[in-house]
Amino acid sequence: MRLLLIEDNDELAGLIEGQLQAGGYGLDRVDCVADAIAVLDSRSYAAMILDLGLPDGDGLKVLRHVRSRQLSLPVLILSARGAMDERVKGLEQGADDYLAKPFAFEELKARLAALLRRPGALLGAQLTVSNLVFDTQGRQASVEERPLPLSARETQLLELLMRRADRIVPKNAVEDQLFGLDDEFGSNAVEVYIHRLRKRLQDGKAAVTINTVRGVGYVLTAAP
């Protein structure tokens, strides 16, 4: 799933990006309050990692913006402000978790996974639709215990569709998850990946179908 990182320290942001991408997450990064609000108003994310000491203001402004729009976006504050009153303030204003700097990357990944497993979130340790199974930790799809070979973006697309099985996933939501802020892609890029994934599933004998809801998006269901 694609995450939004709001962090103005280039070195730390690069390290976080490397760690999370190695764990199978997509990641967009901005470094100030203004850009964070602009991105959140135009794209959707599975979760947000928020620094508080940003060059153009307090990161809590971003948090208040998210909650004022009643977005169900999980928010993990990652800040050098580690005092008890700062942590309480962040949680009271709507953060779901708070991790003080310095931190261990393994703890960051574990806390993110825990956030995304909470009731109402989209993440489960294992997703199953008919005979198709997706292991969110190992990033591996399988059909009746046979591994299904997929590219990185095909894997991201399948995960997104399986998390919302039997529900329409809008095309723009697919674009937000597959492509980052700096990625260039054509108008038919999503259709290309949908076609490729359908072929992979068919070749792997997965008993599922991906239907196109014209002008709206896509829905994955168990085959009749």
Side-chain angles (χ1 to χ4, degrees):
M1 304 300 286
R2 185 163 294 277
L3 311 177
L4 178 63
L5 171 64
I6 305 166
E7 171 61 64
D8 65 324
N9 183 305
D10 288 335
E11 182 178 1
L12 178 58
L15 291 171
I16 293 173
E17 182 175 16
Q19 288 285 327
L20 295 181
Q21 287 181 341
Y25 294 104
L27 194 75
D28 287 337
R29 179 236 171 168
V30 294
D31 60 7
C32 65
V33 170
D35 287 350
I37 290 175
V39 167
L40 287 164
D41 283 345
S42 62
R43 296 175 64 89
S44 59
Y45 293 93
M48 179 173 77
I49 304 169
L50 175 64
D51 183 24
L52 298 182
L54 299 171
D56 61 340
D58 193 323
L60 290 176
K61 182 177 180 180
V62 180
L63 179 58
R64 289 193 293 270
H65 178 78
V66 167
R67 297 310 180 219
S68 71
R69 291 187 56 208
Q70 298 185 329
L71 298 179
S72 59
L73 179 70
V75 177
L76 169 63
I77 290 178
L78 188 64
S79 176
R81 302 178 192 172
M84 177 63 73
D85 60 337
E86 293 286 355
R87 297 200 301 272
V88 170
K89 182 178 179 182
L91 294 169
E92 286 181 340
Q93 296 202 27
D96 298 279
D97 200 356
Y98 197 116
L99 182 59
K101 300 175 183 177
F103 61 93
F105 285 109
E106 290 304 314
E107 182 177 5
L108 172 62
K109 289 187 283 188
R111 285 175 180 254
L112 279 172
L115 277 183
L116 293 167
R117 282 197 299 268
R118 289 181 178 176
L122 297 176
L123 186 61
Q126 182 172 286
L127 308 174
T128 303
V129 179
S130 188
N131 65 345
L132 177 64
V133 176
F134 184 77
D135 176 6
T136 65
Q137 304 299 316
R139 313 296 303 162
Q140 177 64 60
S142 61
V143 177
E144 297 174 358
E145 299 186 355
R146 301 186 307 273
L148 189 67
L150 299 172
S151 71
R153 281 204 171 123
E154 289 166 356
T155 299
Q156 292 172 353
L157 176 57
L158 178 63
E159 181 180 10
L160 176 62
L161 293 173
M162 289 186 71
R163 291 188 189 288
R164 304 182 185 182
D166 298 317
R167 292 180 289 169
I168 297 173
V169 181
K171 180 180 178 180
N172 65 332
V174 176
E175 290 175 343
D176 287 350
Q177 292 300 313
L178 292 190
F179 306 107
L181 291 172
D182 298 326
D183 291 334
E184 294 183 2
F185 56 94
S187 59
N188 68 333
V190 170
E191 286 81 1
V192 169
Y193 280 104
I194 289 286
H195 174 76
R196 291 178 183 174
L197 181 57
R198 282 187 178 126
K199 183 68 165 54
R200 300 278 194 189
L201 294 171
Q202 181 180 12
D203 291 347
K205 302 188 184 306
V208 299
T209 59
I210 301 174
N211 295 308
T212 299
V213 182
R214 194 169 300 279
V216 182
Y218 308 92
V219 57
L220 182 144
T221 61

